[in-house]
Amino acid sequence: MRARHVFRVLSLAGLTFMSLALASCSSTPKRQAAILVVKNDAAEFSRLADGFLSSGQLSSALQYYGEALKANLSVDNVEGAIAARGALGKTYLVLGSLPDAERELGDALTDARAFNKGSLVALCLSNLGELRYASGDIDAADSLFLEAQELAASDGDVAALVSHNRGVVAMARGEYAIAEVLFLKAAAANEKAQRWVELGSNRYSLASLANSSGDVDKAIDWAGKALEADKRAENAPGIGADLEALARLQRKVKNDEVAFDFYRRAFGLWLSLDREPEAERCLIALQELATSLGKASYASRYEELLSRLDERQIP
């Protein structure tokens, strides 16, 4: 009797195991489909955030990068979570919120090292290097960029980014020849891959480098090319920076009428993005230029706009 009982219990246990296994098999496709939906949602959140970032809407970019991070974490999509955390950290960096950037970029690097994908580790190292550079620690930034360079060879996008960042460090150290080689290398790779935002940044840096070297004509040429790339990317903050750079350079060579036009275009763009500090900077230059050019009505208009801005800033 005992033997039969044992056999019966084992048989029931076997049936239960088989039932669970069959149930598991039948639900696996549904579970995988649900995970795929969440991953797609996370990717869409990141795309939305990228769009907000390129149009200068930083608070919305933060919100959607945060949503992308939550979605990726909810299904343990490690690589997606690392990318979202890195984008979140870089947005905090643009906002000047360095402690928040430090937290997100540091965590992204820790997770990337554990995930052990070379190009992803390189990207996180480069992002953290940008934070160190923004904090004034050029040597620490350079160390991170050099480490990233060794890991980025398999990914052209990341390799170009690292080359650009190393160029920024070289320029800060006054190593202009090295900086130019690095910027040109990054620009060639980005142009070939049609990464227009990155190309705009490369060309803007080449314009800045030429200006620092005393070649204003070359600087104007590169700034114009940066504007072309940023327009192709519809990168509004980049376009604004390019227009201001062209205005400053034209003013430097005494082409005040041309500078006036560029400043007006830059002012309109910054105003459309609600970027008050940049708009005020353009207004100051416009008021000065209008006065020197004998444009009395414009000078009065810009003076009035400046006074309104000053009144808003009074506590």
Side-chain angles (χ1 to χ4, degrees), residues 109-138:
L109 178 57
T110 297
D111 293 343
R113 288 195 191 281
F115 192 65
N116 200 29
K117 181 178 178 180
S119 61
L120 193 58
V121 176
L123 177 61
C124 293
L125 286 165
S126 184
N127 289 343
L128 193 59
E130 290 182 31
L131 173 61
R132 295 287 175 264
Y133 183 86
S135 304
D137 194 341
I138 294 177

Side-chain angles (χ1 to χ4, degrees), residues 82-94:
I82 293 167
R85 201 182 290 280
L88 195 60
K90 288 194 72 171
T91 306
Y92 278 126
L93 180 56
V94 173

Side-chain angles (χ1 to χ4, degrees), residues 23-83:
S24 176
C25 289
S26 65
S27 65
T28 294
K30 292 180 182 179
R31 192 160 61 246
Q32 288 176 341
I35 290 172
L36 183 60
V37 168
V38 175
K39 285 184 176 181
N40 288 338
D41 286 345
E44 183 58 29
F45 287 140
S46 289
R47 280 192 290 272
L48 285 168
D50 290 343
F52 284 123
L53 185 63
S54 68
S55 65
Q57 300 179 62
L58 301 180
S59 59
S60 294
L62 277 181
Q63 177 187 342
Y64 282 100
Y65 282 135
E67 293 295 333
L69 176 60
K70 288 179 187 176
N72 281 310
L73 289 173
S74 74
V75 292
D76 195 34
N77 182 17
V78 178
E79 188 167 1
I82 293 167

Side-chain angles (χ1 to χ4, degrees), residues 4 6 29 44 46 113 129 135 184 225 232 256 294 300 309:
R4 287 174 59 189
V6 171
E44 183 58 29
S46 289
R113 288 195 191 281
S135 304
L184 287 171
K225 289 177 178 177
R232 292 193 72 165
D256 287 355
S300 298
L309 283 176

